[in-house]
Amino acid sequence: MLIAAFLWSIAVVTFKSVSKNLSPFLINSLKNTIALFFFCILFYFFEFSFWYSDLSIRGYYIIIISGILGMGIGDSLFVYSLSKIKANQVAIIDTFAPVMNYILSFFILGTILSSYQTFGSVIVIIAILFVTYENRIDNNQKQTDKRGVVFQILATFVSCLGIVILKPVLNKVGGSIEAQLWITAFRLIPGVVIAWVIFLCQKDSLQLLLRLKNKIIIKKMIFGTFVGTFLAL
């Protein structure tokens, strides 16, 4: 878990640097597409099956909905907020994810929070409020920060919702690494579709693609996706 968090933090800093040149929605579209490509290579190299047939129809639907929420909508909101606030602020708000997971698990799965989890949730909420109302010399920058914080919290909520509804499916496959990897990869497919739909709905989206001619940007996207969306997942 700590390794995944470390890898994701590297990816966040990388995507933050790229967000100065690329549309945040293009970043998410590329991120999901490249990650899916990496998983295809992994499956081919280790001779994993490209289809897992031991799930119910409902299970497949849940994975698709989870992918739409988490990889499609949630990550689009996340990268957009990343273009509005600083990476260290993103890191602080990102700690809200476990809190949101606990809350959603309580309402959806009936999971009971311990006193330590409740106390930790309060601390995290206080930290987020501190980030939101942190003083800024420039009033315009303050407004931008608040909007970014709102989108970041919304991204966390949507992504956590996608994870929570997926938990019963993950529990069903048990400790099978191959099955878990397949679910992760299959979840990316609707994420890729939704991310590209969101990007193409942007004004002058085709013009924005021309910025991909920059090889440094491409290298950063591949690196950030490899360590964040591929290895960290």
Side-chain angles (χ1 to χ4, degrees), residues 2 54 70 73 101 179:
L2 290 177
D54 292 342
I73 300 174
N101 268 325

Side-chain angles (χ1 to χ4, degrees), residues 102 105-106 109-115 117-118:
Y102 290 136
S105 294
F106 172 76
L109 304 177
T111 305
I112 304 300
L113 276 70
S114 68
S115 56
Q117 290 168 340
T118 303

